[in-house]
Amino acid sequence: MRIVVAGWLTYAGDETTCREIITGGAEHIASGRAEDGCVAYNWAIDPLEPGKIQVYEEWESEEALLNHFRGAPYAAMRSHLENWELTGFGVQLYSVSGVEPVYGNDGWPRREIFGVTLGD
């Protein structure tokens, strides 16, 4: 089953602080992306809230994510993030039972998602 890790971290400071964190952490992001079972791994500055970083990861399985948590790249990333003052966080795990495209062949959002159809 696919696993999504999504949420946010806030730091004392502003967008400049977040840019430093992300730029300095590029090697950690790249290491995460290179791990077996990683589908997506990204940190991004929130465009509306200075000091907030949005986190998104997608893993092929629970095992892949658990291996990530036990690996040296994860430990290095945690160590990197400890260089700044964390003021809050909300990061959750989501299990994904199905995956479908958002858009149909016509380029518009689909009217049916996982068997649920929007009425006219």
Side-chain angles (χ1 to χ4, degrees):
M1 176 181 330
R2 277 208 181 170
I3 302 295
V4 169
V5 178
W8 52 270
L9 307 166
T10 54
Y11 289 90
D14 57 15
E15 185 177 325
T16 302
T17 301
C18 291
R19 189 174 293 112
E20 289 175 14
I21 292 168
I22 293 171
T23 301
E27 69 183 76
H28 306 301
I29 296 167
S31 292
R33 289 179 178 180
E35 289 184 61
D36 286 341
C38 182
V39 176
Y41 194 106
N42 193 44
W43 304 348
I45 297 169
D46 189 298
L48 302 178
E49 295 186 46
K52 183 180 265 189
I53 294 175
Q54 297 290 339
V55 176
Y56 180 81
E57 302 174 29
E58 188 175 337
W59 296 88
E60 289 179 354
S61 66
E62 295 94 331
E63 183 180 4
L65 179 58
L66 290 170
N67 284 332
H68 168 66
F69 288 155
R70 288 191 290 253
Y74 180 78
M77 179 271 302
R78 293 269 318 214
S79 179
H80 168 72
L81 293 175
E82 290 172 0
N83 290 309
W84 290 270
E85 181 184 351
L86 181 69
T87 59
F89 67 94
V91 179
Q92 303 290 324
L93 295 171
Y94 300 88
S95 61
V96 180
S97 61
V99 177
E100 292 185 359
V102 173
Y103 299 100
N105 293 335
D106 59 1
W108 289 93
R110 296 176 36 204
R111 294 181 61 89
E112 180 181 305
I113 301 172
F114 300 114
V116 176
T117 303
L118 177 66
D120 289 327

